[in-house]
Each structure stands twice: as C-alpha cells, then as structure tokens.
Amino acid sequence: MRKKVNLALLASSILVVIMVVIIFAFSTQKGQNSVSISERIVDFLVSKVGLRNFIENNEWLYKNRNYIFRKILHFTEYAILATLTFRSLKLRKIGLKKVSMFTLFFVFVVAAADEFYQSHIPGRNPQVKDVLIDTSGALTAVLTILFNTRLFGKLKKDGAY
C-alpha cells in the first residue's frame, strides 16, 4: 500500500512540474508569434463550433475574440495547475485548509514568476491583470474541489453515493 501512495505522489508531483513547464513554454513564444498562433487557433475553433457568423456579426466580439480566448486560456491553464497541485498535496495527508491555501499561494507565485519571465521575451509585456486572471482560475478550481469534496462526502455519509 505504501508503494502505491509513493508512486501516486511521485506521479502527481511530476504532473505539477510538467504543467509549470508547459505554462513557461507558452511564455517563451515571442509576442507576435504568440498572438498569431492563438489567432489561428481561435479562428479554427470558432469555425468548427459553428460560431463564425455569430462572432463576425458582433463587431466588438470579432475584434476582441483573440484577447478573450487568450484570457480564457490563462484562467484554464492555471485552474489545471491548481487542480494538479491540490491533488498532489492532498496525497501528503495535509488538511484541506492548508492544502487550499498552499495551492493558491503556489499558483500565485508561478503566475507572478511567469509574468516576470515574459518581461524578458521580445514583444511580451508582464501584466498584473494576467496574474489576477491566473489566480482566479486557481481559486475557482480550489473552490470547485472543496465544494465537490463536501458534497460527495455528505452524499457518501447519507448513503446516497
């Protein structure tokens, strides 16, 4: 049993590191390259989902589609990082409150470090707004995990799960 826990802890820790590497890899792209890549992706997705006419008929949405897409990605990638971090810490048998606080702190530090790193990449500018979006993604993930933990714990206790 102990080997399973150690293996799960190692695997979950590696996933956290991989996610941080992915985040910093995205930040390594030069400004215009990053914008160009995300524009192609968002236009492809809009086309595939069938929203092209809707977005093209809304001038503000059309003009800001790439910006919105990029901020959603920020939120999502940090929500994933928070989820991975939370799960990894939970395997260490730490209380929910400490796991939650450390997860949020860790993700905030990664987000701030990422923005600092971007300040050294041509065409990229660090933005406090991005750190707030990133941390909001982490907060949403942690609150969702806590809600589900409480909900499923109650259902299990009541015999409904």
Side-chain angles (χ1 to χ4, degrees):
M1 181 66 175
R2 183 97 174 122
K3 278 189 176 189
K4 277 187 178 181
V5 172
N6 288 338
L7 187 58
L9 183 57
L10 177 64
S12 67
S13 298
I14 289 171
L15 288 174
V16 170
V17 171
I18 289 171
M19 191 63 202
V20 171
V21 168
I22 289 169
I23 288 169
F24 277 83
F26 281 130
S27 295
T28 300
Q29 298 170 336
K30 290 185 172 113
Q32 192 50 46
N33 291 349
S34 177
V35 169
S36 169
I37 290 167
S38 64
E39 281 177 346
R40 285 194 306 264
I41 292 170
V42 74
D43 287 341
F44 172 78
L45 291 173
V46 163
S47 173
K48 286 296 180 190
V49 174
L51 293 175
R52 169 160 273 156
N53 288 338
F54 173 75
I55 289 177
E56 287 177 352
N57 289 331
N58 183 323
E59 184 180 338
W60 181 88
L61 193 56
Y62 183 75
K63 191 168 81 173
N64 293 293
R65 72 193 184 284
N66 192 43
Y67 177 81
I68 294 166
F69 176 72
R70 292 172 69 88
K71 298 314 166 190
I72 289 170
L73 285 180
H74 265 272
F75 184 92
T76 303
E77 67 189 2
Y78 281 88
I80 292 168
L81 176 60
T83 301
L84 294 171
T85 302
F86 190 99
R87 294 297 183 197
S88 182
L89 291 172
K90 197 64 189 117
L91 289 171
R92 299 174 194 273
K93 304 294 186 206
I94 302 171
L96 283 178
K97 187 174 183 178
K98 285 184 181 179
V99 168
S100 301
M101 297 307 286
F102 185 80
T103 296
L104 292 174
F105 178 74
F106 174 74
V107 171
F108 172 78
V109 169
V110 170
D114 182 46
E115 291 302 313
F116 176 75
Y117 175 69
Q118 285 182 33
S119 72
H120 297 88
I121 305 297
R124 301 295 290 261
N125 299 312
Q127 295 184 9
V128 172
K129 177 176 35 178
D130 283 347
V131 175
L132 295 174
I133 291 169
D134 301 340
T135 306
S136 296
L139 179 62
T140 301
V142 168
L143 291 175
T144 301
I145 292 168
L146 292 174
F147 175 78
N148 287 334
T149 301
R150 199 163 293 235
L151 175 66
F152 290 118
K154 183 171 174 26
L155 289 175
K156 209 174 203 181
K157 187 177 172 185
D158 293 344
Y161 187 79

